[in-house]
Amino acid sequence: MTSGPDNPADAEPLLPGDPQAVRDIAEVPAIEVITTTALHLMSAAAVKCGLSEDEADGRWTDLDEARKLITALAGLVTAAAPEVGSDHARLLREGLRQLQLAFREASVVPDPPGQGPGERLTGPVS
């Protein structure tokens, strides 16, 4: 028997250390992990689009970073929608749509319809 990445017995645990932390994570429902992750992506994208309360000078605005975050959010929302139920999916899609519109508004030269962040996954947003 050989050791290495092909042998599960030799694999490093994903969550080494604290067994309580592993138990805590194991008790969190998948829908909560998905929605929490989506909210983190939404919050970060909003800041990068210049939507934070103290964003008068544009110092946090970074549309390249916002594009990446919104596209990742679109992938998560699209993939998770069938799993999270219609109410959660509707809220996630609406949050995504609002960010896509904010991105378009913040852009000096807006992307053509269907080519904005995440629109390859969601379709054109208007």
Side-chain angles (χ1 to χ4, degrees):
M1 187 158 130
T2 62
S3 64
D6 296 330
N7 184 354
D10 293 337
E12 290 290 322
L14 293 177
L15 300 168
D18 186 8
Q20 181 62 44
V22 173
R23 277 193 298 279
D24 291 347
I25 291 170
E27 293 174 1
V28 177
I31 191 167
E32 190 173 326
V33 174
I34 292 166
T35 55
T36 300
T37 302
L39 289 174
H40 283 292
L41 288 168
M42 286 179 184
S43 297
V47 169
K48 299 294 185 178
C49 283
L51 299 177
S52 66
E53 288 182 14
D54 63 342
E55 184 57 18
D57 61 3
R59 68 179 175 208
W60 306 118
T61 302
D62 185 337
L63 295 181
D64 183 52
E65 290 289 302
R67 178 181 298 277
K68 293 171 189 171
L69 292 162
I70 294 168
T71 300
L73 176 62
L76 176 62
V77 169
T78 301
E83 306 299 328
V84 299
S86 60
D87 290 340
H88 288 289
R90 183 173 44 261
L91 293 171
L92 292 174
R93 282 191 195 105
E94 182 56 27
L96 170 60
R97 181 178 169 280
Q98 291 301 320
L99 285 168
Q100 289 170 313
L101 291 172
F103 181 92
R104 184 174 299 281
E105 188 175 306
S107 297
V108 176
V109 179
D111 294 315
Q115 294 183 16
E119 289 183 357
R120 181 176 42 87
L121 300 164
T122 65
V125 174
S126 57

